[in-house]
Structure formats: C-alpha cells, structure tokens
Amino acid sequence: MAFPIVDRPATVTDPSTPVRHAVIFDLDGVVVDSFAVMSEAFAVAYAEVVGDGPAPFGEYRRHLGRYFPDIMRIMDLPLAMEEPFVRESYRLADQVQVFDGILELLLTLRVRGLRLAIATGKSGPRARSLLDRLGLLPFFAHVIGSDEVARPKPAPDIVRRALDLLDVPPERAVMIGDAPTDLASAKGAGVASAAALWAPPEDIDALLAGGPDLVLHHPTDLLAHCPAVRAR
C-alpha cells in the first residue's frame, strides 16, 4: 500500500498510517547539502579534462542520483573527469553541510525503532567517508553505493539490496529522494517513495512528475508517517 500525498501531516497515532520498519535515504540533496562542493569539484574536473569554458553543472545536477560514470556517458563527457572530481570532492568534504532537521529526524526514527540505510549515487567508500566525517555514519545500519550493485539507479537494485540487508519487506519501507531516479528506483523495488523538497530540487516539476507517494517540505515531515515500531 502506498502513502498518500498530503499537504498536512497526519498524527503518528493515526491508525490509517502504514507502519514502516525502515527508511532508505538518498544522500546528496536529502541528508547533506553538497551542491556547492559538487559544483566546485565539477568545475575543476571539467577544466582539467575538457578545457576552457563554463562547466555544465546545471545539466549535471539534473542527473543526480545516478552513478557519476553514467552521468558522464549521458552528457557525452570524458570518463576521465571522475578522478579529479572524486579527488576534489574529498578535498572539499569539510564544506559539506547537514540539512536542518536531518539530525532530529534520524534521532527520532532511531528512538521509534526504525532501521535506516543510505542508497546513493556516490560510491560506497565516498559515502561512508563523508558520513563518518559528519558524525552521521552510526545512524545507518547500511550505506550502499552505486558501485556496489550491478545496476545503479534508476534500476531498483540498490533499493532491493538495502531491503535485503535490513531484512525488511518492500511494503514496510519508504525511500526519500530528491531526483526522479530515486523515485524510479524505489518504485521498481516496490517501496513507497517520498520526494524531498528542502534542497530544493533542480527540476521540481520533473521530480513531482515521477509520482512520489509522499511530498516532504522539511525532513521532520516524515515523522508523521513513521509511527513507532512495535517489537517484532
């Protein structure tokens, strides 16, 4: 059963609210605000590999959620951009910020007994390194990168992998993303999807056209749809 799209949160005691045992998060644009770092890293990589001229970061951002090499293929840019992009991303990692409300959300979900995972377009090592640097890694039972599944988003593989690791059936989970690829991956895995609007997304119309089951304007909006989990 899918979540309804609502403008006003339901109370956590509402018996019609489906009980979820797990929340799967995208990383960039959902948990962390990394767009300034991405933009700078992308510009450096473009200058080193392609040369002079403006780096098309706006187009790159429209493809977020996908694995970096896949974005390069879609944009017809050299795969050699990955090495300097990753290098600069690590160098600038201290500038990445956690979105307001995320810590409250993670703390409350953990107290309520939900299991949490990350399913990101980043590589697994990069994602875990960033979360560790930000002090958020202990909140997540599993952090899965696009390099750790056969087919990255928009394929459902990464969400299915998260479900397997969490030992949670699809109908007991929800995934939060800020890109159409996130929603497609969730839907392909049979998981309810939630659109995160607090960034805001590069193309909000495209995101909403993906048909999310929930539209969230602030991270803590999710709490109304994730009641406490009774011990199994």
Side-chain angles (χ1 to χ4, degrees):
M1 180 172 61
F3 283 119
I5 295 177
V6 297
D7 293 323
R8 184 185 48 167
T11 64
V12 296
T13 57
D14 185 346
S16 68
T17 302
V19 175
R20 306 295 172 182
H21 292 159
V23 180
I24 303 168
F25 294 81
D26 179 43
L27 182 57
D28 299 292
V30 176
V31 176
V32 299
D33 184 354
S34 53
F35 297 123
V37 166
M38 280 188 198
S39 179
E40 184 171 346
F42 189 81
V44 170
Y46 188 86
E48 286 188 15
V49 177
V50 179
D52 296 336
F57 181 70
E59 181 182 355
Y60 171 81
R61 186 172 167 181
R62 286 195 293 272
H63 298 297
L64 285 182
R66 295 179 183 270
Y67 193 29
F68 188 89
D70 291 341
I71 300 177
M72 294 300 95
R73 295 184 186 98
I74 291 170
M75 295 180 65
D76 196 25
L77 289 173
L79 294 179
M81 283 183 58
E82 183 176 20
E83 188 280 328
F85 179 81
V86 170
R87 181 196 71 219
E88 293 301 300
S89 296
Y90 274 114
R91 183 178 68 83
L92 299 166
D94 286 338
Q95 299 179 28
V96 174
Q97 302 293 314
V98 179
F99 281 113
D100 289 342
I102 285 293
L103 185 57
E104 179 185 350
L105 173 63
L106 296 178
L107 285 166
T108 306
L109 290 174
R110 284 288 298 271
V111 167
R112 291 183 181 179
L114 282 86
R115 304 196 71 201
L116 312 180
I118 292 280
T120 175
K122 274 183 166 60
S123 71
R126 280 183 62 208
R128 289 185 285 272
S129 173
L130 178 59
L131 288 164
D132 187 41
R133 185 185 294 257
L134 294 169
L136 298 181
L137 189 58
F139 283 103
F140 299 99
H142 302 283
V143 177
I144 308 150
S146 287
D147 60 325
E148 296 170 333
V149 292
R151 299 178 301 161
K153 303 173 193 175
D157 300 35
I158 197 166
V159 179
R160 288 175 177 163
R161 177 63 176 158
L163 293 172
D164 288 343
L165 291 170
L166 294 169
D167 191 24
V168 172
E171 65 272 14
R172 293 295 186 185
V174 59
M175 179 178 181
I176 308 176
D178 69 320
T181 51
D182 299 319
L183 305 186
S185 185
K187 288 180 182 296
V191 171
S193 61
L197 302 188
W198 46 87
E202 180 71 12
D203 188 341
I204 189 171
D205 291 336
L207 180 62
L208 296 180
D213 300 295
L214 266 180
V215 175
L216 307 175
H217 297 275
H218 187 271
T220 56
D221 290 349
L222 182 67
L223 294 175
H225 307 280
C226 290
V229 177
R230 295 179 180 178
R232 289 184 286 174

